[in-house]
Amino acid sequence: MIQAKSYAAQAPGATLAPWQFERREVGPHDVQIEIHYCGVCHSDLHQVNNDWFPGIFPMVPGHEIVGKVIKVGDHVKNFKTGELAGVGCMVDSCQVCENCKADLEQYCLEGSNQTYNSKGRDGQPTYGGYSNTIVVREEFVLHISDKLSLAATAPLLCAGITTYSPLRHWKVGKGHKLAILGLGGLGHMGVKFGVAFGADVTVLSTSASKEKDALALGAQHFVVTKDPAQLAAVKGSFDFILDTVSAEHDMNLYLSLLKTDGTHICVGVPSEAYAVHPFSLLGGRKSLAGSGIGGIKETQEMLDFCAENNITSDIELINMKDIQTAYDRMVKGDVRYRFVIDMATL
Ligand code: NAP
Ligand code: ZN
């Protein structure tokens, strides 16, 4: 077995602290990565806090992983030691169901195996990227360009693909009015992709202080959602709303901002269910939709798109020991715009 170092929560809501554990040996189809950076996703905090479902503890969060390949199994074809590599939210899936065959492993009919707070296909708990090393089967490892800042690339593995995938699926681009709801880790990547795809982008935010940043990220418009006058001015005006909000919010209010035939796409996952009135949808033939991360093929496509177009995340690099402060700031919506852990500080 491989001895690994990490920061883990030993119980729901616990403060993260150093923890040593074992990872499996590198099998014939596995790649071992020395982790250099790991992004901090709001999903990490949701799961440490059991916001969605009872988690598996000890829990090592982290699913925005980048680093260097240090060992490959005998049958590995696409990775060599010394290369940069990344791992996102999934580490395995059945590979044979309809969805896996369609490159939609995230919707695997048997359930994809998540990078942490999940079990691998061997039945063993999975542990994530707040760690010095990880072993993953080749099919779930991504190629990372050396053209971009490695630390700022890490968040592409979750925040990047989670916003890229729905914008591609709904073919959002020129001629569309796109609203990004919530300017955090996912939201700021949604702005970058929306702008890159040619959409007219509005940021809908509870934080008036983020206006300057939103415009610097490329958004054309900024609306403070706490100001009724600003909200009234954009009523019925968007083709799409990409909803990245991590806490409860009034879905009926935001649906009223869509045009006829507009689509509200949920990617944010608050702990409570939404209350949606049918009138909010039928008046204007509106759609309420959702999207989960993206398949491996599309994640590689997104990473290649980012390398070609010089797109990375705007990050604050932190020491491992400061993770709790980062979580506290994330809860307050004070992320500018993704925390990334420097694993050299583990
Ligand atoms: P984040 O960085 O904390 O950003 C969330 C943003 O939502 C905040 O910065 C804030 O932006 C806004 N917000 C927070 N509380 C709000 C409230 N009560 N009402 C309105 N807006 C509020 O989080 P993240 O990492 O981007 O993740 C966002 C959500 O997506 C999380 O729930 C996460 O679990 C989920 N997620 C889903 C997927 C998927 O596959 N679908 C993948 C990754 C993450 P403003 O200050 O601009 O209002
Ligand atoms: Zn995530």
Side-chain angles (χ1 to χ4, degrees):
M1 299 294 269
I2 296 167
Q3 298 301 315
K5 289 197 288 184
S6 74
Y7 254 53
Q10 295 293 328
T15 299
L16 271 66
W19 184 58
Q20 304 224 357
F21 66 103
E22 292 183 330
R23 295 206 186 263
R24 69 168 185 262
E25 278 298 343
V26 178
H29 301 280
D30 286 337
V31 173
Q32 185 184 2
I33 299 168
E34 176 185 77
I35 302 173
H36 291 190
Y37 300 102
C38 184
V40 178
C41 180
H42 208 118
S43 303
D44 299 347
L45 183 54
H46 284 307
Q47 293 184 86
V48 165
N49 287 339
N50 272 357
D51 278 353
W52 299 331
F53 48 80
I56 301 171
F57 292 87
M59 186 187 295
V60 180
H63 58 206
E64 295 184 336
I65 299 167
V66 291
K68 203 171 259 183
V69 176
I70 52 171
K71 194 170 178 185
V72 295
D74 290 343
H75 296 302
V76 168
K77 294 191 193 83
N78 293 314
F79 292 89
K80 288 192 194 72
T81 55
E83 283 177 348
L84 296 177
V87 177
C89 302
M90 298 179 286
V91 287
D92 216 340
S93 73
C94 84
Q95 301 275 287
V96 293
C97 75
E98 196 182 325
N99 287 344
C100 285
K101 284 197 167 143
D103 295 311
L104 296 168
E105 301 91 347
Q106 75 275 34
Y107 307 131
C108 173
L109 296 175
E110 286 188 13
S112 60
N113 307 84
Q114 306 295 293
T115 304
Y116 69 89
N117 194 20
S118 177
K119 285 191 175 157
R121 300 194 75 74
D122 57 4
Q124 295 304 307
T126 56
Y127 299 113
Y130 297 5
S131 162
N132 63 330
T133 188
I134 191 166
V135 178
V136 178
R137 70 182 278 185
E138 171 177 31
E139 290 87 342
F140 286 80
V141 181
L142 286 308
H143 292 282
I144 302 290
S145 166
D146 57 11
K147 283 193 216 155
L148 303 173
S149 148
L150 188 59
T153 299
L156 301 179
L157 275 305
C158 174
I161 186 60
T162 303
T163 49
Y164 181 93
S165 183
L167 296 180
R168 283 303 199 207
H169 176 75
W170 275 278
K171 301 186 169 54
V172 178
K174 255 199 162 55
H176 288 138
K177 288 189 163 225
L178 166 68
I180 302 292
L181 180 54
L183 193 64
L186 267 56
H188 94 291
M189 291 312 305
V191 172
K192 291 190 185 203
F193 289 130
V195 170
F197 301 163
D200 181 80
V201 178
T202 300
V203 170
L204 303 174
S205 175
T206 57
S207 312
S209 62
K210 292 181 183 173
E211 176 163 12
K212 214 172 134 211
D213 293 344
L215 301 180
L217 287 164
Q220 283 85 351
H221 320 276
F222 186 84
V223 170
V224 181
T225 52
K226 286 177 174 164
D227 178 346
Q230 289 194 37
L231 266 189
V234 291
K235 209 163 177 228
S237 70
F238 300 114
D239 297 288
F240 297 95
I241 296 175
L242 185 64
D243 180 346
T244 75
V245 174
S246 52
E248 270 115 280
H249 53 291
D250 183 356
M251 190 60 78
N252 300 296
L253 170 71
Y254 294 109
L255 285 166
S256 75
L257 307 185
L258 287 174
K259 281 184 190 168
T260 299
D261 287 328
T263 303
H264 185 111
I265 307 162
C266 299
V267 290
V269 191
S271 51
E272 300 299 326
Y274 295 122
V276 180
H277 201 286
F279 280 137
S280 303
L281 296 168
L282 62 85
R285 201 165 50 196
K286 293 167 184 174
S287 301
L288 179 57
S291 184
I293 49 171
I296 294 296
K297 188 176 169 201
E298 192 175 42
T299 304
Q300 190 63 61
E301 175 194 305
M302 177 272 311
L303 288 165
D304 296 345
F305 179 87
C306 288
E308 274 158 35
N309 294 280
N310 201 25
I311 293 174
T312 52
S313 193
D314 292 12
I315 65 161
E316 262 187 64
L317 198 61
I318 62 166
N319 286 358
M320 186 72 253
K321 68 173 175 46
D322 296 327
I323 185 66
Q324 226 60 41
T325 310
Y327 281 175
D328 293 345
R329 283 183 53 195
M330 195 152 66
V331 171
K332 293 184 199 139
D334 179 23
V335 180
R336 313 277 165 127
Y337 280 88
R338 195 59 140 186
F339 293 111
V340 171
I341 306 161
D342 180 353
M343 278 308 154
T345 66
L346 178 64

